[in-house]
Amino acid sequence: ETGVTQSPTHLIKTRGQQVTLRCSSQSGHNTVSWYQQALGQGPQFIFQYYREEENGRGNFPPRFSGLQFPNYSSELNVNALELDDSALYLCASSRPDGTGTTEAFFGQGTRLTVV
Amino acid sequence: AQSVTQLGSHVSVSEGALVLLRCNYSSSVPPYLFWYVQYPNQGLQLLLKYTTGATLVKGINGFEAEFKKSETSFHLTKPSAHMSDAAEYFCAVSGGETSYDKVIFGPGTSLSVIP
C-alpha cells in the first residue's frame, strides 16, 4: 500500500506567477484535502475534493483552486502568487466509509517559496 | 466552531526531564485527537492518535497522551526527554462537530531540550 506522495518537494516562484502542486492519494482513498502551513504556524485547511468535486473550503481566496482526477490524484493551483503564499503545502487523503469515522493521512509536503 | 489550543508556544526542558505539552479542544462532541511532530524542514509525522476505547494512548518514541473528556484535554507526555525530541509539536482534532477527514490543527508548541 503506497502512502500519500507530493511533488515537487521544493519550489521557488516569483511574485505574480502561477504554480501547480501535485498529490497522489493513498491507494483506495477517494478524498484529498489540502493544507497551507505558513512558517511558525499550524496547518490551515484550504479545501477538500471528493469524487472530483470540491467538498468544503477554508478561508482562502479564489486564486487558490484545485482539481481532482478520476484516479483521485489532485492538483492545487495558485494564481497571482504573493509573498505571503510562501509556505509548506500539505496534502492529505482519506476514504469516507459511510460511518463518518475515517481519518486523513498526510504527505510530506511541498515547500513553496515566493520571491 | 471547533478549535484547538496549545498552552505555551515554546517549552524548554532539560535532557532526561519530563516532557508535558498541553492541548485542549473545544467541541460538544468528542472528536478524534492527534499529536503530530514536525522536524525542521520536514512534513508531519503522526506521533499518536485517540479515536475510541482506551483513553491512555501510547505512541512512537516513548510518547503518550491521555484523553480527558471532562477537561476536553489531550496532553502529551514523555517521562524522559531526549535531545532528538527537539521539534515542533501539533495537536489536532477531526470529527466531533465537523467531518472526520477534515483536520483542525493547533498553533503548535516548539520543544527545546537542554543538554
Side-chain angles (χ1 to χ4, degrees), chain A residues 6-65:
Chain A
Q6 294 185 241
S7 62
T9 55
H10 295 82
L11 198 54
I12 300 175
K13 288 286 189 178
T14 303
R15 188 172 50 181
Q17 286 187 316
Q18 179 265 344
V19 69
T20 298
L21 310 181
R22 295 178 174 81
C23 172
S24 294
S25 60
Q26 184 165 310
S27 178
H29 287 187
N30 58 10
T31 302
V32 172
S33 304
W34 285 93
Y35 294 78
Q36 180 197 64
Q37 185 183 12
L39 194 63
Q41 298 182 26
Q44 299 292 316
F45 175 72
I46 303 175
F47 45 55
Q48 182 183 80
Y49 278 82
Y50 171 66
R51 291 185 176 178
E52 303 178 57
E53 297 285 334
E54 189 177 289
N55 180 41
R57 189 180 183 92
N59 189 25
F60 281 82
R63 59 190 186 82
F64 285 78
S65 63

Side-chain angles (χ1 to χ4, degrees), chain B residues 15-32:
Chain B
E15 190 175 16
L18 171 72
V19 176
L20 171 60
L21 303 183
R22 299 179 186 274
C23 172
N24 288 86
Y25 66 92
S26 68
S27 176
S28 59
V29 179
Y32 285 1

Side-chain angles (χ1 to χ4, degrees), chain B residues 38-99:
Chain B
Q38 187 175 41
Y39 297 99
N41 298 312
Q42 294 191 26
L44 298 174
Q45 181 181 7
L46 181 66
L47 271 179
L48 49 77
K49 64 183 180 185
Y50 169 79
T51 55
T52 59
T55 56
L56 181 63
V57 180
K58 296 187 183 298
I60 61 173
N61 302 338
F63 285 95
E64 63 181 37
E66 185 172 12
F67 168 57
K68 292 186 177 181
K69 182 179 177 181
S70 62
E71 299 177 7
T72 61
S73 68
F74 192 56
H75 302 329
L76 181 71
T77 60
K78 182 174 180 178
S80 177
H82 191 274
M83 296 298 295
S84 61
D85 294 328
E88 189 82 19
Y89 292 80
F90 294 97
C91 181
V93 302
S94 71
E97 297 172 1
T98 185
S99 64

